[in-house]
Amino acid sequence: MAVVTHLPKSFEHLEPWLSFALPSEDARMRRRLSATTAELTGLYKTLVGEMAAIASHLDAWPLAELPAEQRPLLYLALSFMESAMAVECFHQPGPPHATTAESMVVFPGRAEEMLGRG
Protein backbone atom coordinates (compact mmCIF):
# COMPACT_ATOMS: atom_id res chain seq x y z
CA MET A 1 0.00 0.00 0.00
CA ALA A 2 1.44 3.35 -1.06
CA VAL A 3 2.08 5.83 1.71
CA VAL A 4 0.12 9.04 1.24
CA THR A 5 2.23 12.12 1.82
CA HIS A 6 -0.10 15.01 1.01
CA LEU A 7 -3.65 16.30 0.89
CA PRO A 8 -5.25 18.86 -1.43
CA LYS A 9 -3.86 22.35 -0.83
CA SER A 10 -6.77 23.73 1.21
CA PHE A 11 -6.51 20.75 3.57
CA GLU A 12 -2.73 20.57 4.04
CA HIS A 13 -3.16 21.52 7.71
CA LEU A 14 -4.69 18.04 8.25
CA GLU A 15 -1.58 16.22 7.04
CA PRO A 16 -0.48 15.25 10.57
CA TRP A 17 -3.44 12.81 10.46
CA LEU A 18 -2.46 11.11 7.18
CA SER A 19 -1.68 7.83 8.96
CA PHE A 20 -5.47 7.43 9.23
CA ALA A 21 -6.07 8.07 5.49
CA LEU A 22 -6.15 4.43 4.42
CA PRO A 23 -7.95 3.11 1.33
CA SER A 24 -9.89 0.20 2.83
CA GLU A 25 -12.34 -0.09 5.69
CA ASP A 26 -10.33 -3.00 7.05
CA ALA A 27 -7.09 -0.97 7.10
CA ARG A 28 -8.87 1.99 8.71
CA MET A 29 -10.41 -0.28 11.36
CA ARG A 30 -7.02 -1.79 12.19
CA ARG A 31 -5.45 1.70 12.37
CA ARG A 32 -8.24 2.88 14.68
CA LEU A 33 -7.84 -0.14 16.93
CA SER A 34 -4.05 0.37 17.12
CA ALA A 35 -4.46 4.05 18.04
CA THR A 36 -4.56 5.38 21.55
CA THR A 37 -7.71 7.03 22.84
CA ALA A 38 -5.79 10.31 22.88
CA GLU A 39 -4.91 9.93 19.19
CA LEU A 40 -8.52 9.21 18.24
CA THR A 41 -9.75 12.12 20.30
CA GLY A 42 -7.21 14.36 18.56
CA LEU A 43 -8.35 13.12 15.14
CA TYR A 44 -11.97 13.67 16.09
CA LYS A 45 -11.45 17.17 17.51
CA THR A 46 -9.39 18.21 14.51
CA LEU A 47 -11.77 16.91 11.85
CA VAL A 48 -15.19 17.52 13.39
CA GLY A 49 -15.13 21.16 12.33
CA GLU A 50 -13.67 20.32 8.91
CA MET A 51 -16.24 17.79 7.71
CA ALA A 52 -18.59 20.27 6.01
CA ALA A 53 -15.69 21.78 4.05
CA ILE A 54 -14.35 18.32 3.17
CA ALA A 55 -17.79 17.17 1.99
CA SER A 56 -18.26 20.33 -0.06
CA HIS A 57 -14.80 19.93 -1.63
CA LEU A 58 -15.30 16.25 -2.51
CA ASP A 59 -18.81 16.89 -3.81
CA ALA A 60 -17.23 18.44 -6.92
CA TRP A 61 -16.83 14.91 -8.34
CA PRO A 62 -19.06 11.85 -8.61
CA LEU A 63 -17.53 9.19 -6.37
CA ALA A 64 -16.63 6.97 -9.33
CA GLU A 65 -14.71 9.86 -10.90
CA LEU A 66 -12.87 11.09 -7.81
CA PRO A 67 -9.30 11.92 -8.89
CA ALA A 68 -6.54 9.90 -7.23
CA GLU A 69 -5.06 13.01 -5.59
CA GLN A 70 -8.40 13.65 -3.84
CA ARG A 71 -8.82 10.12 -2.46
CA PRO A 72 -6.63 10.56 0.63
CA LEU A 73 -9.00 13.31 1.78
CA LEU A 74 -11.97 10.96 1.32
CA TYR A 75 -10.15 8.22 3.23
CA LEU A 76 -9.35 10.62 6.06
CA ALA A 77 -13.01 11.69 6.24
CA LEU A 78 -14.10 8.04 6.29
CA SER A 79 -11.61 7.34 9.07
CA PHE A 80 -13.09 10.22 11.06
CA MET A 81 -16.62 8.86 10.58
CA GLU A 82 -15.56 5.32 11.46
CA SER A 83 -13.78 6.59 14.59
CA ALA A 84 -16.51 8.94 15.83
CA MET A 85 -18.39 6.26 17.76
CA ALA A 86 -15.17 5.17 19.47
CA VAL A 87 -14.69 8.73 20.72
CA GLU A 88 -18.30 9.68 21.39
CA CYS A 89 -19.63 6.43 22.86
CA PHE A 90 -16.93 3.89 23.64
CA HIS A 91 -14.26 6.31 24.96
CA GLN A 92 -11.71 3.80 23.66
CA PRO A 93 -10.55 2.66 20.20
CA GLY A 94 -12.83 -0.37 19.99
CA PRO A 95 -16.21 -1.44 21.25
CA PRO A 96 -16.11 -2.80 24.79
CA HIS A 97 -16.64 -6.53 25.22
CA ALA A 98 -16.28 -7.22 21.48
CA THR A 99 -14.25 -9.79 19.63
CA THR A 100 -10.76 -8.79 18.52
CA ALA A 101 -10.08 -7.22 15.14
CA GLU A 102 -7.81 -10.09 14.23
CA SER A 103 -10.81 -12.41 14.15
CA MET A 104 -12.88 -10.11 11.93
CA VAL A 105 -13.00 -9.83 8.16
CA VAL A 106 -14.23 -6.55 6.73
CA PHE A 107 -15.55 -6.85 3.20
CA PRO A 108 -14.99 -4.02 0.73
CA GLY A 109 -17.85 -1.56 0.67
CA ARG A 110 -19.71 0.27 -2.05
CA ALA A 111 -17.37 3.28 -2.02
CA GLU A 112 -14.35 1.03 -2.55
CA GLU A 113 -16.14 -0.72 -5.43
CA MET A 114 -16.91 2.60 -7.08
CA LEU A 115 -13.29 3.63 -6.78
CA GLY A 116 -12.24 0.40 -8.47
CA ARG A 117 -10.73 -1.16 -5.35
CA GLY A 118 -13.48 -3.64 -4.50
Side-chain angles (χ1 to χ4, degrees):
M1 187 177 317
V3 175
V4 178
T5 58
H6 65 280
L7 291 170
K9 190 149 189 76
S10 56
F11 297 98
E12 289 175 333
H13 61 286
L14 302 176
E15 289 181 356
W17 301 102
L18 278 173
S19 69
F20 288 90
L22 301 168
S24 74
E25 184 177 355
D26 184 67
R28 290 187 302 271
M29 175 192 68
R30 292 177 193 288
R31 175 63 180 103
R32 173 178 50 85
L33 292 172
S34 71
T36 65
T37 301
E39 279 181 294
L40 289 181
T41 301
L43 173 72
Y44 180 89
K45 286 181 176 181
T46 300
L47 288 177
V48 72
E50 301 280 344
M51 292 305 293
I54 291 170
S56 178
H57 176 83
L58 295 175
D59 198 40
W61 302 273
L63 185 58
E65 298 171 18
L66 188 65
E69 65 273 7
Q70 301 298 324
R71 291 179 184 179
L73 185 61
L74 171 65
Y75 302 148
L76 186 60
L78 289 171
S79 195
F80 163 80
M81 290 181 271
E82 294 163 3
S83 298
M85 186 164 283
V87 174
E88 294 174 359
C89 299
F90 305 152
H91 308 290
Q92 62 185 35
H97 315 296
T99 187
T100 64
E102 291 76 20
S103 64
M104 297 174 65
V105 176
V106 177
F107 296 101
R110 179 79 172 126
E112 289 148 334
E113 290 171 13
M114 292 184 75
L115 290 170
R117 298 188 181 276

